[in-house]
Amino acid sequence: MDFIRYAERAASLVNADLADESALREHLADRSWLHRSVAPGDVASLQAFQSDLRPVFDASDVDDVALVVSQLNDLLAAHPVTPMISDHDPDNLHMHVANRAASVAELLVGEALMGLANLVCDLGATRLGTCAEARCDHVYVDTSPNQSRRYCSDRCSSRANVAAFRARQKAASAS
């Protein structure tokens, strides 16, 4: 299991606009083998999970370690993970976070929770955040060596830096 990738997928899930099954399939664009398994209940389950998971990122963003741990533990209890050894490639046995009977929603929830739980244990509970760009509310996972990430994307970072530069230029010309 690649827990960092699972944690990053958790952030992507929180940021996703999952209005319907088509939007869920679009969210799963890089995992086309899941498209045929998407069921009507998956969207509603994932929308509820998005609402439940967002506060974990918000708590981490304000360095509330106890709240991050408490919220993740509550979500882990509410969404038990059933891992299994996958043998679809007999030369490369590996773990999956859900068994074959799991729905797409259960798989995504399991990946998100296991990814975030392991990230919090390995890197710390303050490695999640909310984008610092004023017009953005997306979340991110900070795996930088010095825990310096503040934006969800390069686009938001550039937008914020350009806005700050223009504000400095305007202030300098007004002086």
Side-chain angles (χ1 to χ4, degrees), residues 31-86:
R31 302 170 84 183
S32 59
W33 64 91
L34 291 174
H35 291 191
R36 70 180 183 279
S37 300
V38 171
D42 289 330
V43 172
S45 294
L46 290 170
Q47 288 170 335
F49 183 68
Q50 286 174 308
S51 296
D52 293 341
L53 190 56
R54 175 65 190 232
V56 174
F57 285 86
D58 294 338
S60 180
D61 198 46
V62 296
D63 298 335
D64 192 337
V65 173
L67 188 56
V68 169
V69 171
S70 169
Q71 289 174 333
L72 275 175
N73 280 334
D74 289 348
L75 288 169
L76 285 164
H79 303 277
V81 177
T82 309
M84 66 170 258
I85 299 171
S86 174

Side-chain angles (χ1 to χ4, degrees), residues 133 135-136 154-164:
E133 211 288 318
R135 295 164 285 183
C136 183
D154 289 339
R155 179 176 177 239
C156 279
S157 175
S158 293
R159 202 161 59 178
N161 288 330
V162 167

Side-chain angles (χ1 to χ4, degrees), residues 85-94:
I85 299 171
S86 174
D87 63 353
H88 60 83
D89 179 0
D91 295 328
N92 182 24
L93 298 175
H94 57 280

Side-chain angles (χ1 to χ4, degrees), residues 102 140 164:
Y140 61 85

Side-chain angles (χ1 to χ4, degrees), residues 54 57-58 61 128-133 136-140 150-152:
R54 175 65 190 232
F57 285 86
D58 294 338
D61 198 46
L128 311 172
T130 303
C131 188
E133 211 288 318
C136 183
D137 67 349
H138 283 184
V139 299
Y140 61 85
R150 295 181 31 221
Y151 301 99
C152 69

